[in-house]
Amino acid sequence: MARERQGFIFGFKWGKALRNLPAELRHEVQDAIIDYGTDGTVIPMSDAARGIFEFIRIQIDDNNSKYENTVEKRREAGRQGGAPAGNHNASQKQAKQANGCFNKQNNQKQAKQADYDYDCDCDCDCDKKKKISASP
């Protein structure tokens, strides 16, 4: 099942370089880039536009090649499949690895507490009586 691409990469550097061109030449090159990036067709253009476009076409071809290689590698990995049927450990192991940084935080020990007893029981029996002296 072939999947149609939804876009192509238009480099920022291309835009900066194209801004310095005269408007007519810039539009001609931009149209060529869009047509080539969309469906691979090369439209007729002036010699000046073709000279500029060829540098960009090479980069578009390289990007397409990288994309196709990535798609093929992922396709092959998908054909090989994941863990064998009935192997529940593979999914559990992946989940533990994904949450590994949180696991360390949850398993930390409590900090040691000081062995001080701040509970103070003061039992004072004050049996002192004030002497009241008789004044003359």
Side-chain angles (χ1 to χ4, degrees):
M1 174 193 284
R3 190 170 137 186
E4 188 176 320
R5 292 189 58 183
Q6 298 296 314
F8 68 97
I9 297 173
F10 189 100
F12 292 132
K13 292 178 183 178
W14 303 346
K16 289 179 181 179
L18 293 176
R19 281 193 193 105
N20 296 326
L21 297 176
E24 186 177 321
L25 182 59
R26 180 177 64 237
H27 294 298
E28 191 175 2
V29 174
Q30 286 174 341
D31 289 344
I33 292 170
I34 292 169
D35 285 351
Y36 189 76
T38 304
D39 55 13
T41 58
V42 178
I43 60 173
M45 62 187 97
S46 67
D47 290 338
R50 180 166 300 283
I52 297 167
F53 172 73
E54 286 301 317
F55 289 107
I56 296 172
R57 185 186 60 79
I58 292 168
Q59 186 63 49
I60 292 172
D61 290 341
D62 287 345
N63 291 341
N64 287 341
S65 176
K66 288 177 189 177
Y67 174 78
E68 292 301 325
N69 288 336
T70 302
V71 168
E72 187 57 36
K73 286 179 185 177
R74 290 180 181 172
R75 185 178 294 128
E76 286 299 317
R79 285 184 188 138
Q80 292 176 1
N87 185 355
H88 300 290
N89 291 333
S91 63
Q92 291 175 357
K93 190 175 193 178
Q94 290 173 350
K96 286 181 182 178
Q97 289 174 352
N99 295 326
C101 63
F102 297 112
N103 192 20
K104 290 179 184 176
Q105 292 176 352
N106 292 336
N107 290 337
Q108 288 181 348
K109 294 181 180 179
Q110 286 285 339
K112 291 184 179 181
Q113 299 294 323
D115 293 334
Y116 299 113
D117 184 17
Y118 291 109
D119 186 25
C120 182
D121 294 330
C122 294
D123 292 332
C124 292
D125 293 332
C126 296
D127 291 343
K128 294 182 180 178
K129 295 181 182 179
K130 269 187 172 178
K131 290 187 179 180
I132 302 175
S133 58
S135 306

